Amino acid sequence: MRACGLLLHPTSLPTGELGAAAHRFVDFLGAAGQRFWQMLPVGPTGYGDSPYSALSAFAGNPALVSRDRLVEEGLLPDEAAKAPRQAWLRVAHERFRLRGRRAELTSFCESEHDWLEDYALYQAIKRAHGEVQWTRWPALLRDRNPHAIASARKELADEIEQVRFEQYRFHLDWQELRRTCAAARVRLIGDVPIFVAHDSADVWTHRELFRLHDDGEPEVVAGVPPDYFSTTGQRWGNPLYRWRRMRRDGYAWWVARFRAALTRFDAVRLDHFIGFARYWEIPADEPTAVRGRWMKGPGAHFFGVVRNALGELPFIAEDLGAVTPAVTRLRRRFHFPGTRILQFAFGTDPQATLFKPHNYEHAVVAYTGTHDNDTTVGWFRNSSTNSERRAALHYLASQEEIHWAMIRAVYQSVAELVVVPVQDILGLGSEARMNRPGVPLGNWTWRMAEGALTPDLADRLRALSATYERLPTAPEPLPAHAELFS
């Protein structure tokens, strides 16, 4: 399979929602000969609005609920739609209740009961306590005392119902988007971070699965060791798993997590795939990642159990960083395509040669850059050395604008799938960057201008897809998700 797609998080759509703009984007993908839409995680975000620090590994982000659809259904007056999100979601819920549509919500709640009830309670308690993290709640609620939990369910029943409604509306909008994608023969790629946020419903509900002290605070946290990028490494702060405990029940939480992800998406990117082979363990009281140690990850046994439960796994391995032979063996054993980033090909990265398109293997997904990179135009303008720019220009040997030269280079490669951030096809600079790693605030806010994706742009992408045989042919059905990368 040779295919191509675009990377755009739904919050970067002109409206930032799963409404009409999302469906127009799918139409653009189809017109441009793109088979895939890749997103970042779509869970409810907490502090800093990072999709990689979600309040739940299962829930959807209510910030993506479509206002337009609620207005169309008569659940939201036009004037209420201009209010803050939480306010208009409450107005919509009240109208929903008055219309006697409770049975629809009940059916959804029953089907998602395994995660939804704990998440709704977590959110209700969190809102009642000024959004502070769960380790700062009253001890009985923090520790899930049965009597305290029963009382909270009763006292916060209305707020719990509000959270259920928000998840129900996200589900409806998502299902509508899936139908549009199916009609356009576009497949969705999601993102599953290996670690979850400490302040999340998952950690509060399943404390036994994480390395925590009695008060719920982490014993050890995740990160990566010092390298040529950082002399102190990166201390991410996510709690680490009790992998042996998870193994005893067949990694049930993970199986449920992947099953939920594959209900929403046709394939998923495994963020920090390296961590499944080995991970960097940092004592929680250490301010940096320097005093950590490598620990063995769950490895092949984990993916074997998951595959037995779910069938062949349509996973993309984000295998960037300290890639050891064990990481590569693990990826290849389960036929997961790896990741190649063209921006890394021209600097001082020790693996730079592997990121040059002429060295790609077939089983990779190639990107000009990702959400953590500067845009291609921004990267080229702001490269730390002239030698990096000269190396890129020499390698590309193109008279095209730098972003189109980079796009063409990955399209020409043997990579089975090429995914390009929308910012790059638009030729935008650093002002359109999605994330600056290590900078806690000001990320994840970029939005595309209305009308930016023009018919001429679709034609140019489609022509490029046709030239390098990435254009889907009319009679060719898209494969089932388990065969996406076979």
Side-chain angles (χ1 to χ4, degrees):
M1 178 191 77
R2 288 180 61 80
C4 50
L6 296 179
L7 170 62
L8 181 76
H9 198 48
T11 59
S12 294
L13 290 161
T15 60
E17 301 171 358
L18 296 174
H23 296 263
R24 288 195 296 272
F25 182 64
V26 175
D27 292 340
F28 176 85
L29 290 168
Q34 306 294 299
R35 297 197 213 188
F36 292 93
W37 176 1
Q38 181 170 336
M39 302 177 181
L40 310 183
V42 294
T45 57
Y47 177 77
D49 279 335
S50 171
Y52 293 90
S53 186
L55 301 176
S56 169
F58 294 83
N61 190 350
L64 297 175
V65 170
S66 171
R67 279 174 290 193
D68 291 343
R69 190 173 179 196
L70 290 170
V71 170
E72 291 170 4
E73 294 180 20
L75 295 177
L76 188 64
D78 287 334
E79 60 275 13
K82 300 174 184 178
R85 179 172 300 276
Q86 274 300 320
W88 60 253
L89 281 170
R90 293 181 190 281
V91 170
H93 182 207
E94 180 61 22
R95 286 199 167 195
F96 177 85
R97 287 195 318 107
L98 292 174
R99 291 190 176 190
R101 294 169 60 178
R102 170 70 192 177
E104 303 170 24
L105 179 57
T106 298
S107 177
F108 167 74
C109 292
E110 289 174 351
S111 67
E112 307 298 325
H113 180 273
D114 288 348
W115 64 267
L116 179 57
E117 290 311 296
D118 284 314
Y119 169 71
L121 177 61
Y122 162 85
Q123 276 282 41
I125 297 173
K126 189 174 178 66
R127 292 174 184 178
H129 289 84
E131 301 289 347
V132 299
Q133 67 184 47
W134 62 268
T135 54
R136 297 179 184 175
W137 297 349
L140 293 179
L141 289 175
R142 179 197 69 191
D143 298 336
R144 295 180 62 87
N145 173 274
H147 296 294
I149 292 296
S151 295
R153 289 193 187 279
K154 183 176 181 180
E155 294 168 8
L156 300 173
D158 289 344
E159 192 63 27
I160 289 170
E161 190 71 359
Q162 175 67 30
V163 177
R164 291 174 182 144
F165 173 75
E166 293 166 7
Q167 290 303 303
Y168 168 64
R169 290 304 310 191
F170 175 90
H171 170 76
L172 291 184
D173 288 343
W174 194 267
Q175 293 304 107
E176 187 67 20
L177 180 65
R178 292 284 277 170
R179 285 189 284 271
T180 297
C181 287
R185 300 175 64 249
V186 168
R187 292 292 174 104
L188 295 176
I189 300 175
D191 197 313
V192 173
I194 183 174
F195 301 118
V196 297
H198 176 240
D199 187 15
S200 65
D202 308 280
V203 180
W204 176 65
T205 303
H206 302 287
R207 283 173 62 169
E208 74 282 1
L209 302 181
F210 298 87
R211 302 272 303 280
L212 306 175
H213 292 297
D214 289 344
D215 63 359
E217 295 293 344
E219 295 176 2
V220 288
V221 296
V224 291
D227 56 21
Y228 62 94
F229 288 122
S230 172
T231 57
T232 58
Q234 297 179 42
R235 184 189 183 281
W236 298 333
N238 308 82
L240 293 175
Y241 299 108
R242 297 184 184 275
W243 284 113
R244 290 183 181 178
R245 168 63 179 80
M246 289 182 156
R247 180 170 177 158
R248 290 205 300 269
D249 67 2
Y251 306 104
W253 179 83
W254 273 101
V255 170
R257 185 185 185 191
F258 283 138
R259 181 178 286 115
L262 293 175
T263 298
R264 286 186 183 144
F265 296 99
D266 300 290
V268 293
R269 168 186 178 270
L270 299 183
D271 187 58
H272 197 60
F273 177 78
I274 290 171
F276 291 105
R278 64 172 187 166
Y279 58 91
W280 190 246
E281 176 185 287
I282 308 164
D285 57 1
E286 287 290 331
T288 73
V290 171
R291 296 183 182 274
R293 60 176 180 168
W294 286 113
M295 300 293 289
K296 187 177 180 180
H301 181 267
F302 170 78
F303 287 112
V305 171
V306 173
R307 184 174 61 185
N308 287 341
L310 300 178
E312 290 301 318
L313 304 173
F315 292 165
I316 298 168
E318 186 270 286
D319 54 344
L320 304 174
V323 180
T324 63
V327 172
T328 302
R329 286 195 300 270
L330 179 63
R331 176 177 71 78
R332 289 176 174 169
R333 177 171 176 174
F334 290 91
H335 308 291
F336 302 155
T339 299
R340 298 292 182 268
I341 310 297
L342 184 52
Q343 284 187 26
F344 294 165
F346 309 112
T348 57
D349 191 301
Q351 301 181 85
T353 187
L354 295 179
F355 293 107
K356 290 183 170 67
H358 71 274
N359 287 325
Y360 291 172
E361 56 186 88
H362 289 279
V364 298
V365 180
Y367 301 81
T368 50
T370 72
H371 62 280
D372 282 335
N373 293 91
D374 201 345
T375 67
T376 289
V377 169
W379 162 80
F380 188 74
R381 289 173 179 167
N382 302 321
S383 294
S384 57
T385 64
N386 286 328
S387 62
E388 193 172 354
R389 285 190 287 269
R390 286 197 300 270
L393 292 174
H394 178 74
Y395 183 86
L396 297 168
S398 171
Q399 299 302 310
E400 291 182 296
E401 299 157 294
I402 187 63
H403 52 292
W404 282 110
M406 297 272 275
I407 293 168
R408 184 178 296 276
V410 290
Y411 267 63
Q412 289 173 333
S413 74
V414 298
E416 288 184 309
L417 176 60
V418 168
V419 178
V420 176
V422 162
Q423 293 96 317
D424 282 357
I425 67 169
L426 295 174
L428 300 177
S430 299
E431 74 282 354
R433 183 170 183 168
M434 193 63 169
N435 181 45
R436 291 170 173 80
V439 178
L441 299 175
N443 296 314
W444 319 110
T445 60
W446 178 73
R447 281 195 182 176
M448 178 172 56
E450 187 71 60
L453 299 177
T454 63
D456 286 346
L457 188 56
D459 290 344
R460 185 168 186 176
L461 272 177
R462 190 176 188 89
L464 204 62
S465 302
T467 298
Y468 298 111
E469 299 176 359
R470 297 187 180 278
L471 194 66
T473 55
E476 176 191 4
L478 279 172
H481 69 252
E483 301 168 344
L484 282 172
F485 303 110
S486 60

